[in-house]
Amino acid sequence: MQNPAARTPDVIAAIATAPGRGGIGVVRVSGASLSEFAAALCGRVPQPRRAMFSAFVDAAGEAIDEGILLHFPAPASFTGEDVLELQGHGGPVVMQMLLARCLELGARLAEPGEFTRRAFLNGKLDLAQAESVADLIEASTAAAARSAVRSLSGRFSEEIHRIVDALIDLRMLVEATLDFPEEEIEFLERARAMPRLEEIRDKLESVLDRARQGALLRSGLNVVLVGEPNVGKSSLLNQLAGEDRAIVTDIAGTTRDALRETIQIEGIPLHIIDTAGLRETADTVERIGIERTWREIERADVILRLVDASAAATDTTPEASESIDARLPRGVERITVVNKIDLAGLAAGRIEEPGEPGGRIRLQVSAKRGTGIDLVRAELLRIAGWHAHGEDVILARERHLHALRAALAHVESAAAQSAALELFAEELRLAQESLGEITGEFTADDLLGVIFSRFCIGK
Ligand SMILES: Nc1nc2c(ncn2[C@@H]2O[C@H](COP(=O)(O)OP(=O)(O)OP(=O)(O)O)[C@@H](O)[C@H]2O)c(=O)[nH]1
Ligand SMILES: [Mg+2]
């Protein structure tokens, strides 16, 4: 006996709209053939792609809700299968009842991202496009949303395909010459293999650069405010956030727990983390807070090290201050923010100290008065490496960056192998394979599982 479920994918259903109350709520269903399913739910088979007003009925024929039914027969649907959309009233109870009715009719609850996964498996979207569906839903800034929608429309994938095509052309040329070793070098010259490889490398570098910017747009930077008690960390957080988020008092040790506030500078999300001031203390709660400060420091992309310009106001010693500096991680960008310049009679400004390794930056500000805060913003943007790419930013994921870097490394090894044609060809093949991971041509099943499990249910 043949099991029909082995051939035809099962029917999946989920509430596609956000939980809670809303004017409209949508239950989405996808499966091999849904005409009968629709008829059982509405009493008649809906016309394809026509909005049909109908009651949605239970097994006894009683109305659960009424609304619009849409039927998208395969293959012209989001998933490439038959899709039904039930647009009912957006109350949590009525949506659950509608969903329960769909399950009763033989559907099972969709897993997170399963609709999009089916769209990918049915060739409706490639992997980069499928990921951009989730990125669009999760976009935290308008710039990120615009970038996600560009990827969804396939622009990122097209760029990757163009580079892959160029690689394939070059591979065909090279592999054709492999059989005639004596002509190798001359052939490569005639075919302009090296200039073509250069072009491929330039394109890859450009995509990687824009993808790096996009990764930043997607996840932002962790900026941790660090310093002794009372230097003005919470005051600076409030200035950057533009509102009173953290408690500010003149009592040293006011902030106990790390406080995280996401702000935007030119559309880039920056997670500003205010922490407990660092000092020796016998207070148990404060000590736990200080341990948390060090944990935040470990995860920092940027450290803003605050010091008090007036010094007199803090009860710290130069030795204590040095021991904090010595414990800050080396590889992380660090800016010294000299605060309370109003008390010290200093002007706002940016001072570069070329003597120290890497050239330390000092910014002179007054967090209380709001002087010099623009300098802090500009410095954070500089560290983020943000340069205006306008509309060309690619909302990349770490996975994409990894694949692009691998492809670039193979193209560069190919350039170094021009005398050994077989190795040259092999590096080109590996570069192509790395790029294929982005669009999903070479992707392991378990990776697909990881990618789609991070989607919300109903997408
Ligand atoms: N005059 C002056 N006072 C400031 C400035 N910035 C902060 N202060 C004052 O310094 C005191 C401590 O400020 P906070 O922002 O609470 O300092 P903190 O670093 O968060 O302190 P803890 O949470 O205890 O670690 C408050 O009385 C602030 O009003 C400044 O630029 N000028
Ligand atoms: Mg504080």
Side-chain angles (χ1 to χ4, degrees):
M1 269 272 298
Q2 209 178 8
N3 176 6
R7 284 180 296 112
T8 46
D10 44 0
V11 178
I12 53 172
I15 300 171
T17 38
R21 294 184 172 81
I24 296 172
V26 176
V27 171
R28 182 145 68 159
V29 187
S30 180
S33 168
L34 295 178
S35 299
E36 277 175 36
F37 191 104
L41 201 65
C42 303
R44 59 202 151 118
V45 178
Q47 281 186 38
R49 273 170 282 284
R50 283 283 180 84
M52 178 177 96
F53 179 73
S54 171
F56 306 133
V57 299
D58 64 16
E62 288 284 323
I64 300 167
D65 190 8
E66 51 181 35
I68 302 290
L69 181 79
L70 288 167
H71 181 208
F72 303 95
S77 71
F78 176 68
T79 58
E81 304 170 345
D82 267 19
V83 169
L84 292 179
E85 257 188 49
L86 318 176
Q87 306 185 356
H89 293 94
V93 174
V94 67
M95 278 291 115
Q96 283 300 338
M97 287 165 70
L98 212 47
L99 178 63
R101 174 65 175 140
C102 291
L103 303 185
E104 191 181 81
L105 287 170
R108 73 164 165 80
L109 201 58
E111 287 163 20
E114 199 171 3
F115 291 92
T116 315
R117 184 181 186 135
R118 288 186 177 193
F120 166 69
L121 293 174
N122 289 327
K124 288 279 167 179
L125 299 167
D126 67 29
L127 200 51
Q129 286 174 305
E131 287 168 319
S132 64
V133 172
D135 290 342
L136 180 59
I137 291 172
E138 275 160 30
S140 59
T141 67
R146 274 199 298 276
S147 182
V149 99
R150 278 197 302 279
S151 290
L152 177 58
S153 72
R155 281 213 234 150
F156 177 34
S157 308
E158 270 168 35
E159 290 204 51
I160 299 297
H161 284 308
R162 270 203 294 276
I163 299 175
V164 167
D165 288 346
L167 277 169
I168 293 174
D169 281 354
L170 197 53
R171 279 185 64 194
M172 287 190 334
L173 258 174
V174 174
E175 278 167 23
T177 36
L178 282 176
D179 299 335
F180 307 98
E182 63 285 355
E183 294 169 24
E184 276 181 13
I185 303 301
E186 192 195 337
F187 188 91
L188 283 184
E189 270 170 26
R190 247 190 301 137
R192 296 183 55 254
M194 293 323 272
R196 287 167 76 167
L197 193 64
E198 289 272 298
E199 271 171 40
I200 291 173
R201 198 187 60 200
D202 288 350
K203 276 194 205 137
L204 264 177
E205 273 174 353
S206 151
V207 172
L208 182 58
D209 188 38
R210 284 175 291 133
R212 242 189 253 122
Q213 300 274 293
L216 190 66
L217 205 57
R218 197 167 170 271
S219 44
L221 284 185
N222 283 338
V223 180
V224 181
L225 306 178
V226 181
E228 291 86 348
N230 252 352
V231 293
K233 300 178 296 297
S234 301
S235 304
L236 182 57
L237 172 82
N238 290 344
Q239 281 291 347
L240 288 169
E243 55 184 313
D244 275 347
R245 297 304 314 224
I247 300 171
V248 169
T249 74
D250 57 2
I251 303 164
T254 299
T255 305
R256 295 301 182 92
D257 213 345
L259 179 70
R260 193 182 170 90
E261 186 66 27
T262 298
I263 63 165
Q264 281 181 39
I265 304 181
E266 293 195 13
I268 306 199
L270 295 173
H271 315 294
I272 313 283
I273 298 139
D274 180 23
T275 61
L278 298 171
R279 66 169 168 183
E280 294 295 326
T281 175
D283 184 309
T284 315
V285 178
E286 192 178 356
R287 221 175 28 234
I288 296 171
I290 289 171
E291 278 166 25
R292 291 191 177 188
T293 301
W294 285 109
R295 278 213 296 279
E296 291 297 341
I297 290 171
E298 278 167 28
R299 288 198 292 261
D301 297 307
V302 184
I303 292 171
L304 293 185
R305 167 72 166 104
L306 273 82
V307 295
D308 190 329
S310 67
T314 48
D315 55 2
T316 175
T317 62
E319 294 75 42
S321 176
E322 271 168 33
S323 84
I324 293 176
D325 288 341
R327 215 181 134 183
L328 294 177
R330 302 265 130 212
V332 182
E333 289 271 1
R334 193 197 312 175
I335 305 170
T336 306
V337 178
V338 181
N339 187 32
K340 307 195 189 181
I341 53 171
D342 53 310
L343 295 182
L346 296 172
R350 177 184 192 273
I351 298 155
E352 219 169 314
E353 291 169 4
E356 299 193 23
R360 283 246 185 280
I361 308 288
R362 290 161 71 88
L363 301 176
Q364 300 189 159
V365 309
S366 168
K368 186 171 181 176
R369 308 226 168 152
T371 17
I373 304 303
D374 281 348
L375 295 173
V376 178
R377 290 199 190 94
E379 208 58 32
L380 289 174
L381 270 190
R382 183 192 64 76
I383 288 178
W386 184 258
H387 35 273
H389 273 297
E391 296 295 290
D392 282 339
V393 172
I394 298 163
L395 199 65
R397 296 174 165 219
E398 204 41 57
R399 186 182 85 75
H400 302 150
L401 293 182
H402 182 79
L404 286 167
R405 284 196 202 104
L408 192 59
H410 288 303
V411 165
E412 275 163 4
S413 329
Q417 298 290 357
S418 57
L421 221 45
E422 267 170 48
L423 295 179
F424 185 87
E426 177 61 6
E427 292 293 350
L428 292 184
R429 189 185 69 76
L430 291 171
Q432 183 188 344
E433 212 170 276
S434 298
L435 293 178
E437 282 172 17
I438 295 178
T439 48
E441 271 119 273
F442 299 96
T443 310
D445 256 6
D446 48 350
L447 176 65
L448 291 185
V450 171
I451 289 172
F452 287 106
S453 66
R454 298 204 182 129
F455 275 59
C456 47
I457 289 183
K459 195 59 240 179

